[in-house]
Amino acid sequence: VDEDGTRVFRLTAQEGSTSFRDGVDTETWGFNGDFLGPTLRARRGEQVAVEVTNTLGESTSVHWHGMHLPPEMDGGPHQEVAAGGTWRPTWLIDQPAATLWYHPHPHGRTEKHVYLGMSGMFILDDDEADAAGLPSEYGVDDIPVIVQDKSFTEDGQLTMASRVPSGVMGETIMVNGTIGAVQEVSTELVRLRVLNGSTLRTYNFGFDDDRTFQLVGTDGGLLAAPHTTTRIQLSPGERAEIVVAMEAGSETMLRSYPQQLGVINDAQGYGAFDTLDILRLVAADDLAPSGAVPDVLPDYGRLDEADVATTRTFVMKNLRMNGQFMDMNRIDEVVTVDTTEVWVVRNEDPMPHNFHIHDVQFEVLSVDGAPPPPELSGRKDTIYTEPGREYRLIMRFEHYANPEMPYMYHCHLLRHEDFGLMGQFVVV
Ligand code: C2O
Ligand code: CU
């Protein structure tokens, strides 16, 4: 924290080398290290600044995924940091506690930068979430779980070669950069902040003994009440906070089970039928008591459809957004500041897409006209879009207006995003 009270972080984008397996050095990229980046953490009401230094041989950017902030601080393709350059965005944290993340967003090269290892979590706190009584000791009973799949060449290097044109379906799973990850648990309850940090693969998380767990949060913060379930599906960029109970001396495996991707071509190629081990949880012989998960979580208020000023429709088809590829010099939508909108989103391709909006968290009003399921009942910034279904999203564009500098919306399957399944909106 500097003298005027700003919480300052430093991120250096760098090339490195990681030994994922003994005796093999893999060329990787990371922030402040060889692979992935540090967890950043800040509290609602704090001013933050990040000093980004790019020591890579090419330009990159750092986007704060899920963050409400001015467009010129957003870290999208209009804020690239040149090779050797620096960038210092600063903004006020003004949104509920949530599990966000950061990753590069250079025009046309996001898949490569994220795949080589550049991303990290950005956790936000607030008083209401603190008071909720969820497990919250970072690294002890509150664990970041960044899930990624990678594909290796025979000589142990990361490869982006792929069988499906949409990107890499890696055969190797990593959690926080570790293959075959194991988490030791010392408390009765453990909270996992799960981020799908993969470039293409969707996961359908559950435990090998089919134990229930409680879903307490999604992309933009806590749910109004915990949802008890055995599965949570996350497409690339989505997050879930889950609380799982452990018994002393026991273990369980967090897995990914076959997913509901909808009717797509080559479901096998997209990994829809895969079952994968993700993270082994091993409980100590003596566990510290945790208390119970509360029945009710902080209520951050809901948006009201009666306030909707504008409804827009977004169709993803032939890898285009409303018929067009991304153009850095074209503004696709103009939004009025401090208004509420409904965005109707449809995937009309026979392949997986999802939909991510910068600056805002949205609420799902309906899926094909029906109320959203519990896992889509909270604040979201990214949603899986099954082919042929219609998703009605409500959101409010608050405070930050700049007619010169757009925010993005796009598919978060990163090869699709790089290919141009993205558009730009300004808030004026
Ligand atoms: Cu996570 Cu536009 O990105
Ligand atoms: Cu897509």
Side-chain angles (χ1 to χ4, degrees):
V1 179
D2 71 8
E3 52 293 353
D4 61 348
T6 301
R7 180 172 295 277
V8 183
F9 301 102
R10 287 180 188 79
L11 288 180
T12 300
Q14 57 191 71
E15 293 173 16
S17 143
T18 306
S19 186
F20 294 111
R21 296 190 176 94
D22 286 347
V24 187
D25 288 328
T26 302
E27 288 173 30
T28 52
W29 290 3
F31 290 106
N32 303 358
D34 293 313
F35 190 73
L36 297 178
T39 297
L40 308 185
R41 191 153 193 165
R43 175 165 287 272
R44 189 170 197 172
E46 266 184 328
Q47 184 75 25
V48 298
V50 191
E51 295 178 1
V52 177
T53 304
N54 178 14
T55 69
L56 303 172
E58 63 183 77
S59 68
T60 189
S61 83
V62 190
H63 166 59
W64 321 102
H65 179 126
M67 199 77 76
H68 174 49
L69 78 183
E72 58 279 14
M73 308 298 172
D74 189 40
H78 294 273
Q79 288 90 38
E80 286 188 18
V81 187
T86 61
W87 179 56
R88 189 183 191 273
T90 179
W91 70 94
L92 179 72
I93 303 294
D94 185 20
Q95 66 190 94
T99 302
L100 311 184
W101 66 303
Y102 59 92
H103 63 77
H105 212 303
H107 185 52
R109 290 172 292 127
T110 295
E111 182 194 20
K112 171 186 165 191
H113 287 214
V114 173
Y115 186 72
L116 288 176
M118 293 175 57
S119 63
M121 270 193 188
F122 202 139
I123 296 176
L124 302 185
D125 297 299
D126 68 14
D127 296 347
E128 292 89 337
D130 283 358
L134 293 167
S136 55
E137 204 179 329
Y138 184 81
V140 176
D141 62 3
D142 183 352
I143 313 289
V145 179
I146 303 177
V147 183
Q148 298 180 308
D149 61 333
K150 302 291 175 195
S151 186
F152 288 92
T153 60
E154 266 167 33
D155 61 351
Q157 300 307 307
L158 292 173
T159 173
M160 285 170 58
S162 60
R163 186 171 85 65
V164 286
S166 295
V168 180
M169 290 306 283
E171 68 293 331
T172 302
I173 300 296
M174 294 180 181
V175 168
N176 303 339
T178 297
I179 299 170
V182 179
Q183 176 67 44
E184 285 167 19
V185 176
S186 59
T187 52
E188 291 169 352
L189 294 179
V190 61
R191 173 190 193 171
L192 304 177
R193 297 179 188 255
V194 184
L195 158 65
N196 182 350
S198 302
T199 53
L200 172 62
R201 190 188 280 280
T202 290
Y203 302 88
N204 189 12
F205 295 104
F207 291 93
D208 61 351
D209 49 11
D210 258 331
R211 69 179 59 198
T212 59
F213 55 85
Q214 287 177 291
L215 177 69
V216 296
T218 53
D219 304 342
L222 298 176
L223 299 179
H227 167 56
T228 301
T229 186
T230 57
R231 294 283 186 274
I232 178 69
Q233 181 167 304
L234 298 180
S235 67
E238 289 184 289
R239 289 86 69 207
E241 296 186 28
I242 66 172
V243 177
V244 56
M246 295 291 291
E247 269 173 30
S250 73
E251 62 172 82
T252 187
M253 179 69 85
L254 179 68
R255 282 201 168 137
S256 175
Y257 290 95
Q259 311 125 53
Q260 265 97 56
L261 299 181
V263 181
I264 58 172
N265 291 342
D266 193 12
Q268 179 101 42
Y270 284 97
F273 308 124
D274 291 356
T275 296
L276 303 160
D277 286 351
I278 305 290
L279 174 65
R280 194 153 68 99
L281 298 180
V282 179
D285 289 335
D286 279 304
L287 297 179
S290 293
V293 175
D295 294 337
V296 178
L297 295 167
D299 188 358
Y300 295 104
R302 311 294 297 175
L303 295 172
D304 189 345
E305 228 183 322
D307 296 333
V308 171
T310 307
T311 298
R312 300 172 202 268
T313 301
F314 298 88
V315 175
M316 294 181 279
K317 187 171 181 163
N318 296 325
L319 287 161
R320 293 164 175 83
M321 190 70 81
N322 286 344
Q324 290 185 296
F325 291 121
M326 163 76 171
D327 180 343
M328 292 270 289
N329 299 311
R330 184 189 69 233
I331 300 299
D332 298 283
E333 307 290 338
V334 179
V335 172
T336 304
V337 69
D338 294 327
T339 64
T340 302
E341 298 205 350
V342 166
W343 287 19
V344 181
V345 181
R346 284 202 305 274
N347 169 10
E348 293 184 1
D349 276 330
M351 67 177 85
H353 291 310
N354 68 9
F355 193 82
H356 168 54
I357 312 175
H358 288 208
D359 182 46
V360 295
Q361 294 289 331
F362 54 77
E363 295 162 19
V364 182
L365 290 172
S366 64
V367 179
D368 276 352
E375 65 273 17
L376 297 181
S377 66
R379 292 159 54 85
K380 297 277 296 166
D381 55 53
T382 308
I383 186 171
Y384 185 71
T385 51
E386 280 189 31
R389 306 198 95 177
E390 182 169 282
Y391 299 80
R392 288 174 60 84
L393 316 175
I394 187 170
M395 69 221 69
R396 191 167 169 82
F397 297 87
E398 286 182 327
H399 201 78
Y400 303 116
N402 181 345
E404 308 294 327
M405 187 54 71
Y407 297 102
M408 309 294 132
Y409 52 91
H410 56 86
C411 176
H412 217 286
L413 278 49
L414 297 183
R415 197 167 293 183
H416 292 176
E417 172 185 340
D418 285 338
F419 195 69
L421 186 48
M422 173 152 60
Q424 311 196 94
F425 69 97
V426 287
V427 180
V428 299

